[in-house]
Amino acid sequence: MGRLLVTGGAGFIGSNFIRHVVNQTDHHVTVIDALTYAGNRDSLAGLDEDRLTFVRGDITDAALVDRLFADTDAVVHCAAESHNDNALDDPRPFLHTNIVGTYTLLEAARRHGRRFHHISTDEVFGDLAFDASERFTERTPYNPSSPYAATKAGSDLLVRAWVRSFGVRATISNCSNNYGPYQHVEKFIPRQITNVIRGIRPKVYGRGENIRDWIHVDDHSSAVLTILDGGRIGETYMIGADGERSNTEVVELILELMGHRSDAYDHVTDRAGHDLRYAIDGTKLRTELGWSPRYGDFESGLADTIRWYRENESWWAESKDAVEAFYAARGQ
Ligand code: NAD
Ligand code: DAU
């Protein structure tokens, strides 16, 4: 049995990854999570408590981080400020967690010689033209557009520098947009599903032509575990499932699956600096480590996700009003 430390384990990516690890391995998992507005202890409900230790704390707390690293074999770093619209409103927490937090963890990884996997995003590469034939690969130059993406790019570069300069045994993965259960209602898909449940018309930024490359969160989790087990130290792996869809296509599918007219949504103020298109070429992960996604069918994955939000209103209800008030003030 291994001892795994997961940062941000009460968030969307972290909690789904922990469920996957508890189901697929016999590792013990320790979580460090500050329980910001985005963290929810209930996202880990129902898991065998003997397999899980939850520590509420900030990843910039070097003394706490040091104690936790002393008792672990490997670290998967999911803690982050993750939402673009919040970063446009106030970038400061993004610098604190994504930059200083990652630096604090890397220093502990260096002191303790721990294996470190850094969870990152395709947004570090900026965006692609709608008609571009190339997709993002491990060799695409960094070109972040937004404050959130810039802090994630900075954190990736810190990881690379700590590998090269200090021999930290780290890998990085850059994944595209995830969907699935336990995602905060501020994000596109859960916002629209919960809007429909509440009788609010879905809100699409601008013309809604922007394209995201959707992957089910369980596929992201299995890819990360594959990299943790077999990834080459110092390497970056792109994670994607060939799921490109425009925002209007996604919202229309949500409406249809929920029994409404597919045009029953509003166009609202566009996001500043809105990236046009993301698309991942995941060849390296598939050929080198033999990983492949299980959720080939976006429509059935989306239907499962809609069912989950319908059945788990108590998980999201408390956040919904504050999120909608935030968006209303921005004309979104
Ligand atoms: P999230 O906002 O749902 O969760 C973030 C978690 O981190 C929360 O539980 C929060 O309490 C915790 N946290 C925040 N600041 C902290 C701090 N200073 N100390 C300790 N804990 C802190 O975010 P997410 O969607 O789960 O994203 C997690 C990671 O995955 C991010 O690095 C993001 O870049 C990456 N990622 C996300 C997606 C996606 O579609 N959601 C896609 C690719 C990559
Ligand atoms: O690509 C990976 C990234 O995906 C992650 O790094 C981020 O943490 C994650 O939040 C996500 O970023 P996006 O900005 O792409 O996701 P978001 O859910 O905020 O928006 C998806 C698309 O939908 C984007 O084009 C903006 C649009 N949108 C969003 C909201 C909340 C709308 O049209 N209406 C909305 O109400």
Side-chain angles (χ1 to χ4, degrees), residues 82 121-123 148 177 188 191 203 205 212 271 274:
S82 67
T121 168
D122 58 0
E123 296 198 19
Y148 158 69
N177 285 63
F188 180 54
R191 182 181 184 206
K203 310 286 182 229
Y205 294 169
R212 296 295 180 263
R271 176 182 280 172
H274 199 172

Side-chain angles (χ1 to χ4, degrees), residues 1 3 9 13 25 98 108 220 222 229 231 238 269 271 319 328:
M1 185 192 83
R3 298 166 305 168
I13 302 294
T25 74
N98 301 356
H220 187 181
S222 70
D229 287 342
M238 306 296 303
T269 309
R271 176 182 280 172
S319 317

Side-chain angles (χ1 to χ4, degrees), residues 81-85 120-123 148 152 175-178 183 185-192 195 203-206 208 210-212 214 247 268 271 274-276 278 327 332:
E81 286 293 335
S82 67
H83 193 41
N84 272 301
D85 295 314
S120 194
T121 168
D122 58 0
E123 296 198 19
Y148 158 69
K152 289 300 295 184
C175 189
S176 57
N177 285 63
N178 284 222
Q183 186 169 30
V185 291
E186 68 191 356
K187 303 296 194 314
F188 180 54
I189 287 181
R191 182 181 184 206
Q192 312 315 338
N195 274 355
K203 310 286 182 229
V204 170
Y205 294 169
N210 309 63
I211 291 173
R212 296 295 180 263
W214 294 99
N247 293 339
V268 295
R271 176 182 280 172
H274 199 172
D275 278 343
L276 294 180
Y278 307 139
Y327 283 127
Q332 294 179 321

Side-chain angles (χ1 to χ4, degrees), residues 250-285:
V250 172
V251 89
E252 285 167 14
L253 189 53
I254 290 171
L255 281 159
E256 275 169 35
L257 289 168
M258 296 184 78
H260 292 260
R261 281 178 54 132
S262 64
D263 62 355
Y265 62 91
D266 297 329
H267 290 275
V268 295
T269 309
D270 206 352
R271 176 182 280 172
H274 199 172
D275 278 343
L276 294 180
R277 174 179 165 229
Y278 307 139
I280 295 261
D281 176 348
T283 305
K284 177 177 174 180
L285 178 62

Side-chain angles (χ1 to χ4, degrees), residues 32-267:
I32 175 173
D33 196 296
L35 294 180
T36 67
Y37 81 94
N40 189 337
R41 185 68 178 84
D42 291 344
S43 301
L44 298 167
L47 287 170
D48 181 353
E49 290 293 326
D50 293 340
R51 302 278 306 280
L52 195 66
T53 303
F54 187 87
V55 178
R56 182 170 189 178
D58 195 303
I59 56 166
T60 61
D61 179 344
L64 172 62
V65 163
D66 198 67
R67 280 202 301 283
L68 297 176
F69 270 63
D71 280 337
T72 198
D73 299 309
V75 179
V76 175
H77 174 30
C78 306
E81 286 293 335
S82 67
H83 193 41
N84 272 301
D85 295 314
N86 293 342
L88 292 167
D89 191 53
D90 178 13
R92 180 177 283 274
F94 291 72
L95 290 151
H96 173 83
T97 293
N98 301 356
I99 301 284
V100 181
T102 303
Y103 156 74
T104 308
L105 298 171
L106 285 167
E107 283 293 82
R110 167 154 90 112
R111 271 194 302 280
H112 293 278
R114 298 298 184 238
R115 173 81 174 87
F116 188 83
H117 181 72
H118 178 61
I119 302 287
S120 194
T121 168
D122 58 0
E123 296 198 19
V124 298
F125 304 113
D127 59 358
L128 297 163
F130 288 128
D131 60 355
S133 56
E134 79 274 18
R135 298 185 291 170
F136 298 139
T137 74
E138 291 75 8
R139 291 170 306 286
T140 304
Y142 277 48
N143 187 27
S145 325
S146 70
Y148 158 69
T151 61
K152 289 300 295 184
S155 69
D156 290 13
L157 298 181
L158 290 175
V159 176
R160 289 184 178 191
W162 261 242
V163 170
R164 168 100 183 236
S165 303
F166 304 124
V168 168
R169 292 180 298 128
T171 42
I172 299 174
S173 53
N174 297 90
C175 189
S176 57
N177 285 63
N178 284 222
Y179 71 98
Y182 301 104
Q183 186 169 30
H184 197 277
V185 291
E186 68 191 356
K187 303 296 194 314
F188 180 54
I189 287 181
R191 182 181 184 206
Q192 312 315 338
I193 294 172
T194 55
N195 274 355
V196 175
I197 293 172
R198 284 277 169 93
I200 305 168
R201 282 165 69 90
K203 310 286 182 229
V204 170
Y205 294 169
R207 292 159 63 93
E209 290 166 334
N210 309 63
I211 291 173
R212 296 295 180 263
D213 189 354
W214 294 99
I215 179 173
H216 194 279
V217 65
D218 287 350
D219 284 330
H220 187 181
S221 297
S222 70
V224 169
L225 194 57
T226 301
I227 297 165
L228 190 66
D229 287 342
R232 284 185 291 133
I233 299 304
E235 292 289 316
T236 290
Y237 295 88
M238 306 296 303
I239 304 175
D242 303 326
E244 282 187 72
R245 305 243 172 182
S246 72
N247 293 339
T248 50
E249 281 178 292
V250 172
V251 89
E252 285 167 14
L253 189 53
I254 290 171
L255 281 159
E256 275 169 35
L257 289 168
M258 296 184 78
H260 292 260
R261 281 178 54 132
S262 64
D263 62 355
Y265 62 91
D266 297 329
H267 290 275

